[in-house]
Amino acid sequence: DAKTTQPTSMDCAEGRAANLPCNHSTISGNEYVYWYRQIHSQGPQYIIHGLKNNETNEMASLIITEDRKSSTLILPHATLRDTAVYYCIVRVGDAGGTSYGKLTFGQGTILTVHP
Amino acid sequence: KAGVTQTPRYLIKTRGQQVTLSCSPISGHRSVSWYQQTPGQGLQFLFEYFSETQRNKGNFPGRFSGRQFSNSRSEMNVSTLELGDSALYLCASSLAPGIHGYTFGSGTRLTVV
């Protein structure tokens, strides 16, 4: 699985958009970009994933550059409850690969939303 | 629907003992993965089970083992506990391996003294 690079920490004001970048310059053609977050003392929570097109769901938007070497997770209106560690993960997204359920977590980005 | 249930939530064991942790996946989910989380190493993949078979394994010693039952519930066992095994052990379930979204439980906090 491709390695990802994320900033160690970021701050965001409540109500503003939080834009979390992720670099994955060695991503392969069949690898998806996944985002999870972990709020203190809880298990990671799936947020969103994408292959090459931009994606949006009720939680966030995922913007993937055309060359797929980087992506940005956007929380449109951050709240205090969005304070968490955000993980960007790249892995094969189908059952044909050998990675199966293995999610390789890096250190993630600590997002702090302040009033 | 009920989420991923892990029991117990907290556990204190003595070095040299063994421990068994349990995970009940979301109803209908047949894949169960286990992770260890420590402050120093972060989240690390232990193994994944699907249809009662281990499909993938991380880089952990043989003291760490697991199994999955016909109802998809899973257990992991750690024998001859070491102080370094103190960690949060997380279980995640999905419909099948490779399916995109994994739902994690709240974990079992194991302390080895």
Side-chain angles (χ1 to χ4, degrees):
Chain A
D1 295 337
K3 182 178 177 180
T4 62
T5 303
Q6 299 178 251
T8 302
S9 62
M10 295 183 65
D11 288 333
C12 178
E14 189 176 21
R16 304 296 295 270
N19 298 293
L20 292 90
C22 179
N23 181 284
H24 32 79
S25 58
T26 60
I27 192 170
S28 300
N30 63 346
E31 290 181 313
Y32 285 69
V33 179
Y34 295 76
W35 283 84
Y36 283 77
R37 72 180 182 183
Q38 186 174 25
I39 297 171
H40 184 60
S41 299
Q42 298 181 22
Q45 177 190 24
Y46 165 81
I47 300 173
I48 199 168
H49 75 275
L51 181 62
K52 61 177 84 172
N53 298 320
N54 298 337
E55 302 288 344
T56 296
N57 63 20
E58 65 279 3
M59 289 183 67
S61 294
L62 174 61
I63 308 298
I64 302 174
T65 57
E66 191 170 344
D67 62 8
R68 302 186 69 237
K69 293 184 177 181
S70 65
S71 61
T72 301
L73 177 74
I74 300 173
L75 307 178
H77 306 286
T79 71
L80 299 179
R81 288 177 296 179
D82 291 322
T83 293
V85 180
Y86 287 77
Y87 297 99
C88 170
I89 299 166
V90 174
R91 65 175 288 267
V92 174
D94 59 32
T98 58
S99 59
Y100 282 94
K102 179 179 179 180
L103 296 173
T104 302
F105 290 85
Q107 295 305 307
T109 296
I110 301 171
L111 174 68
T112 303
V113 181
H114 50 85
Chain B
K1 58 182 177 182
V4 178
T5 303
Q6 292 189 245
T7 56
R9 285 298 312 275
Y10 301 93
L11 203 52
I12 299 176
K13 288 288 188 178
T14 303
R15 192 171 46 182
Q17 288 186 312
Q18 74 168 12
V19 67
T20 299
L21 312 181
S22 178
C23 173
S24 293
I26 289 174
S27 178
H29 284 194
R30 298 169 60 201
S31 171
V32 174
S33 304
W34 288 89
Y35 291 79
Q36 180 196 65
Q37 185 171 28
T38 60
Q41 299 298 318
L43 277 154
Q44 294 185 286
F45 173 77
L46 279 157
F47 27 64
E48 179 178 30
Y49 287 86
F50 177 68
S51 294
E52 302 176 62
T53 302
Q54 187 179 92
R55 298 303 180 110
N56 202 353
K57 189 177 189 304
N59 296 323
F60 279 82
R63 301 185 296 107
F64 292 81
S65 63
R67 58 178 176 169
Q68 186 180 34
F69 302 95
S70 58
N71 62 357
S72 295
R73 190 178 70 85
S74 177
E75 290 181 346
M76 69 162 282
N77 183 277
V78 187
S79 63
T80 320
L81 283 166
E82 301 176 0
L83 297 179
D85 297 332
S86 295
L88 179 65
Y89 289 89
L90 292 156
C91 166
S93 78
S94 68
L95 287 169
I99 300 300
H100 298 147
Y102 286 81
T103 303
F104 282 79
S106 296
T108 294
R109 173 75 62 183
L110 171 65
T111 302
V112 182
V113 297

